[in-house]
Amino acid sequence: MLSAIFALLNLGASFNNLNDALKQTPIGPMVDSGYVAYPSSQLYQNAVDLGYVTYFGDNQPEMYPNTVAHLGIPYAERPVGDLRFRATVPLNTTRVTEEAGGSPVDATSYPDFCIQGQFAGQPGGAGSEDCLNVNVYSPYGAKEGDNLPVLFYIHGGAWIFGNPRGFPFEHWVNQSPNVIIVSVYYRLGSLGFLAAPEFTDPAYGDFNAGLRDQIQALKWVKSYISKFGGDPTNVTISGHSAGGASVELHMIVDESKGLFSRVIAQSVGRSALPTPKQQQPLFESYASLAGCENGSVADQMKCLRGANISALAFAQDNALHRDFGYVPIVDGLLITGHPTTKFQCGEFTHVPLIVGSASNETLSLSPKLDISTGLKAFFPSLTDTDIQQFLGLYPIDDFDSKIQQFQVATGEPDVICAVSLSLTLLPWATHPHYSNTWTYRYNTPDPTLNTKYVTHAAENWMMFNGTTTGPNGTSTFDPQTDAQKAFASELIAYWLSFVRTGDPNTYKLDKSPVWEKYSESNLVRMVLTQQNSATESGNEMEILPLAEFVRCAFAISKAEACQH
């Protein structure tokens, strides 16, 4: 009964022919195949033929009638065996075709997430190495030729944890069924960012494998997103925290040029990017804990590629690193300089930009709220003189409390000053080829934290159905009030208007204020604040405080000392 359908799919038959076949062929339970049985019309709408294989997606008409999700679509070869610790290998579509055997492939369930690292002191290790997939969310009925704009989302998680399942997009597309959204899985922790000086010879391994995964996923989008109804020439890359830092890096990486046309950078983690030599102690500790301490680096890498993943997960969580963790490095190959310095020199991809952070966030930790300790932990190469200069900008008399002083003094260099690093402090800011920029300050606390402070990732809770990230790829979702849902819709409208047109105002909600551009003559940002009413907007424009501008100017002047 299904053989006629599969034959049509395998031969690349037109969707009109497939539809005719479906109308004539009753669909019964697919007990043996494991595929979801849909009525013929829904099966037709949810099938996407990529040329080398056909995928069936998932539609939840009772919740998100406007959205189809195709989950777990591979974009690269499995990074296992000899491909462990190596640069991403493009997908072998011939292999995928052969493995499918002429049958359509079920893409209705979330795939395995990538191997996780420690989270809040809890050990990692969950996940799979076979994780290089994307999730594609599209409007119901979208088809090739629709040329819908594309949002490409990169999750955060300090480069060591995170699972796209915790950041679902069905409700985004359901609200605005005129975009395609792609979220990417990429290698994390040691599997994505292990480094040794010897990696300058790719025979040993490759630097920045996790970032290379993201680039390969963008190349897959360029090749195949049109099959889902997307426009491969109109891609906005977006990310939060380490995802925001990823977005920033793509703006300075030559290999990413031409793969995106707009940027949304949320809470860019301005962590230090070490050199290969600086990562050698971490490599040695990691290899030793994995039982691979003996022999040359070639011997160690052979051992690490043959090691059980549980041994690597243990080594990943317990390897001692005095300064740096598993992060991207300035390798001279993919990343040729520190991002802030690159931006100062105008050496980046000039595209329309939304960039911002939360009101009170910091990524530094210090149990005694010691600013020196917090800054040194985040930027290990700062000298004592550098630290004293930073401290001089944040006298306690300027703040309501020691908590606020610590947050601002560490949060601005860590995260908040990313807003300024690419803007008016730099001589090229008024360059005629520089594109439009909008900045924001997210000002609504995460209601689950019972605090007045608006901390890191607060907007994720609002924009992703009340999500809270947990250890080992887990997430919880809290119910949202009508006012919170209304505020989330307002944020999503701004974001997707930018994705569609390069301007957050074109398709904003009627109640939302106009979001003014940031420029050298107009130092303004949108303050994103929830109202208790579902019918009113709490958002408003504000002028960037001069004191913050001056402090960020100093932070940016320390780009090389901070190694960012």
Side-chain angles (χ1 to χ4, degrees), residues 324-345:
F324 308 95
Y326 306 102
V327 295
I329 69 164
V330 177
D331 57 4
L333 303 169
L334 190 68
I335 303 174
T336 57
H338 295 119
T340 301
T341 301
K342 288 279 194 177
F343 274 89
Q344 287 178 314
C345 297

Side-chain angles (χ1 to χ4, degrees), residues 22-304:
L22 289 169
K23 288 177 180 177
Q24 299 170 19
T25 308
I27 303 298
M30 302 184 188
V31 176
D32 295 330
S33 70
Y35 300 135
V36 178
Y38 293 114
S40 60
S41 60
Q42 190 171 350
L43 179 61
Y44 162 64
Q45 292 287 349
N46 294 348
V48 174
D49 183 357
L50 299 185
Y52 58 91
V53 72
T54 293
Y55 289 103
F56 286 125
D58 182 39
N59 171 246
Q60 303 174 50
E62 69 285 355
M63 293 183 64
Y64 306 112
N66 293 331
T67 307
V68 175
H70 290 83
L71 306 173
I73 309 296
Y75 64 81
E77 286 299 283
R78 305 172 180 116
V80 298
D82 188 58
L83 297 185
R84 184 186 278 176
F85 306 117
R86 296 195 187 278
T88 327
V89 176
L91 186 68
N92 183 342
T93 55
T94 300
R95 175 186 61 78
V96 175
T97 301
E98 292 174 351
E99 290 179 355
S103 297
V105 177
D106 184 354
T108 62
S109 300
Y110 280 102
D112 290 335
F113 48 85
C114 295
I115 299 293
Q116 303 286 293
Q118 280 189 334
F119 176 87
Q122 299 188 53
S128 170
E129 285 191 86
D130 181 8
C131 66
L132 300 188
N133 301 294
V134 291
N135 302 324
V136 182
Y137 304 85
S138 55
Y140 186 81
K143 60 187 183 302
E144 188 170 11
D146 288 347
N147 290 324
L148 301 174
V150 180
L151 173 65
F152 182 92
Y153 185 76
I154 306 168
H155 71 80
W159 309 106
I160 58 173
F161 61 86
N163 178 1
R165 185 172 187 169
F167 309 101
F169 281 100
E170 285 93 346
H171 60 298
W172 287 49
V173 176
N174 196 65
Q175 175 178 322
S176 184
N178 33 45
V179 297
I180 307 292
I181 299 179
V182 180
S183 61
V184 61
Y185 297 75
Y186 58 97
R187 281 174 286 179
L188 305 166
S190 60
L191 295 168
F193 298 99
L194 188 68
E198 288 77 7
F199 284 16
T200 52
D201 181 348
Y204 294 97
D206 291 289
F207 299 116
N208 297 311
L211 192 67
R212 292 178 182 276
D213 292 345
Q214 297 173 15
I215 294 171
Q216 186 57 43
L218 283 166
K219 291 179 178 178
W220 182 92
V221 165
K222 192 174 185 67
S223 296
Y224 297 107
I225 203 62
S226 63
K227 302 294 185 180
F228 294 87
D231 181 354
T233 69
N234 188 4
V235 176
T236 299
I237 56 174
S238 174
H240 176 270
S241 193
S246 297
V247 165
E248 179 191 49
L249 289 171
H250 288 302
M251 294 179 76
I252 66 165
V253 168
D254 286 343
E255 194 171 339
S256 299
K257 288 182 178 178
L259 298 177
F260 62 92
S261 51
R262 301 185 185 103
V263 164
I264 302 174
Q266 298 176 228
S267 298
V268 175
R270 300 185 65 240
S271 56
L273 275 61
T275 65
K277 185 177 181 180
Q278 287 174 316
Q279 289 295 72
Q280 188 165 9
L282 176 59
F283 174 83
E284 292 174 351
S285 178
Y286 176 82
S288 177
L289 286 169
C292 298
E293 68 272 24
N294 296 323
S296 66
V297 172
D299 295 329
Q300 291 175 303
M301 292 307 300
K302 182 178 180 180
C303 176
L304 288 171

Side-chain angles (χ1 to χ4, degrees), residues 341-399:
T341 301
K342 288 279 194 177
F343 274 89
Q344 287 178 314
C345 297
E347 298 174 3
F348 71 103
T349 301
H350 292 60
V351 292
L353 170 68
I354 289 178
V355 57
S357 58
S359 293
N360 309 117
E361 61 183 318
T362 179
L363 299 177
S364 288
L365 299 175
S366 173
K368 296 183 179 180
L369 299 178
D370 180 71
I371 297 171
S372 299
T373 302
L375 287 173
K376 189 73 173 177
F378 205 75
F379 301 113
S381 296
L382 288 178
T383 66
D384 290 341
T385 299
D386 294 327
I387 295 291
Q388 290 304 312
Q389 290 173 339
F390 268 108
L391 291 176
L393 292 171
Y394 299 93
I396 186 62
D397 292 345
D398 287 357
F399 301 97

Side-chain angles (χ1 to χ4, degrees), residues 418-433:
V419 172
S420 297
L421 72 87
S422 60
L423 298 169
T424 64
L425 302 179
L426 312 177
W428 50 261
T430 56
H431 191 286
H433 297 297

Side-chain angles (χ1 to χ4, degrees), residues 476-550:
T476 58
F477 294 88
D478 296 295
Q480 294 182 313
T481 66
D482 289 344
Q484 289 165 343
K485 291 177 182 177
F487 181 48
S489 295
E490 196 175 5
L491 300 174
I492 291 167
Y494 276 135
W495 261 234
L496 293 186
S497 176
F498 180 79
V499 170
R500 295 170 66 185
T501 69
D503 187 329
N505 298 297
T506 309
Y507 295 106
K508 69 177 181 62
L509 299 189
D510 290 341
K511 68 179 180 179
S512 301
V514 171
W515 191 341
E516 299 176 38
K517 295 178 194 175
Y518 185 107
S519 69
E520 190 170 14
S521 60
N522 195 33
L523 304 178
V524 293
R525 61 189 175 194
M526 178 66 78
V527 184
L528 300 167
T529 309
Q530 179 201 324
Q531 281 278 50
N532 290 328
S533 168
T535 60
E536 298 178 1
S537 176
N539 300 333
E540 60 182 359
M541 300 300 301
E542 73 174 7
I543 297 174
L544 180 68
L546 179 60
E548 180 180 327
F549 184 91
V550 170

